[in-house]
């Protein structure tokens, strides 16, 4: 019996299954952009965040805070960013709302101070240059609010993650 069992085990050779190799195309994660801007959509300066939702569209928000001679100005600007042409050198447009809150604290105890809130919108057309993790933008826009339209220029530098 040992001889039969030994013969069967010696005669049969075990082979492993052929290796299964799958090549998965990497799914590109949506780009997150963190940026600072000078004379941009949030005012004299601002910080912002943008999240890519499709190949050409992103949703973003920019904000700023300034204390100007005792008057405190806060700005929040949600917007849609759309890439029109190009990949590395890109023509883009942005469309969004601008919410502003100003507050003047009282210098005397008899007066409570003053605050005001308002809103408007903006439309921008600009140029963007992309490196692997860094981008630079320049844009011209029109800010509209309280019965006026004002032209505006801005620049931004950001980091993509």
């Amino acid at each position: 019996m040992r001889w039969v069992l030994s013969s069967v085990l010696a005669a049969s050779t075990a082979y492993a299954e052929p290796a299964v190799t799958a090549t998965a195309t990497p799914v590109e994660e949506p780009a997150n952009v963190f940026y600072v801007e000078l004379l941009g959509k949030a005012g004299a300066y601002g910080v912002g965040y943008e999240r890519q939702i499709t190949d050409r569209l992103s949703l973003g928000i920019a904000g700023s805070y300034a204390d100007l001679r005792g008057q405190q100005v806060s700005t929040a600007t949600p917007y849609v960013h759309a890439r029109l042409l190009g990949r590395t050198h890109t023509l883009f447009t942005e469309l969004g709302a601008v919410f502003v809150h100003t507050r003047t604290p009282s210098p005397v105890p008899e007066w409570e101070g003053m605050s005001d809130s308002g809103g408007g919108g903006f439309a921008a057309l600009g140029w963007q240059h992309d490196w692997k993790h860094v981008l630079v933008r320049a844009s011209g826009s029109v800010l509209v609010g309280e019965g006026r339209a004002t032209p505006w220029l801005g620049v931004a530098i950001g980091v993509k993650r």
Side-chain angles (χ1 to χ4, degrees):
M1 183 72 166
R2 277 189 198 176
W3 182 80
V4 174
L5 186 57
S6 299
S7 301
V8 170
L9 290 175
S12 64
T13 308
Y15 293 100
E17 293 276 333
V20 177
T21 57
T23 56
T25 53
V27 177
E28 191 172 315
E29 287 292 319
N32 293 301
V33 176
F34 300 92
Y35 63 89
V36 294
E37 63 182 1
L38 181 64
L39 299 175
K41 60 189 121 322
Y45 67 90
V47 295
Y49 169 76
E50 200 169 283
R51 173 87 172 170
Q52 182 178 350
I53 55 173
T54 70
D55 186 43
R56 293 188 175 268
L57 290 176
S58 300
L59 296 177
I61 188 162
S64 68
Y65 174 81
D67 193 342
L68 307 169
R69 296 184 182 166
Q71 184 178 24
Q72 302 160 351
V73 181
S74 303
T75 306
T77 308
Y79 63 93
V80 175
H81 174 94
R83 181 175 54 85
L84 300 176
L85 297 171
R87 287 267 182 206
T88 303
H89 294 279
T90 305
L91 178 66
F92 70 87
T93 186
E94 292 177 339
L95 185 63
V98 179
F99 301 104
V100 180
H101 178 75
T102 61
R103 181 176 175 270
T104 306
S106 173
V108 295
E110 293 83 26
W111 181 52
E112 292 182 11
M114 173 172 84
S115 67
D116 188 23
S117 296
F122 79 95
L125 185 65
W127 166 85
Q128 173 177 309
H129 182 74
D130 277 317
W131 288 276
K132 186 172 181 172
H133 294 289
V134 176
L135 62 88
V136 175
R137 291 180 179 162
S139 63
S141 58
V142 175
L143 301 172
V144 179
E146 294 196 12
R148 286 190 249 195
T150 303
W152 198 254
L153 296 174
V155 294
I157 185 167
V159 176
K160 295 190 297 186
R161 296 183 60 63

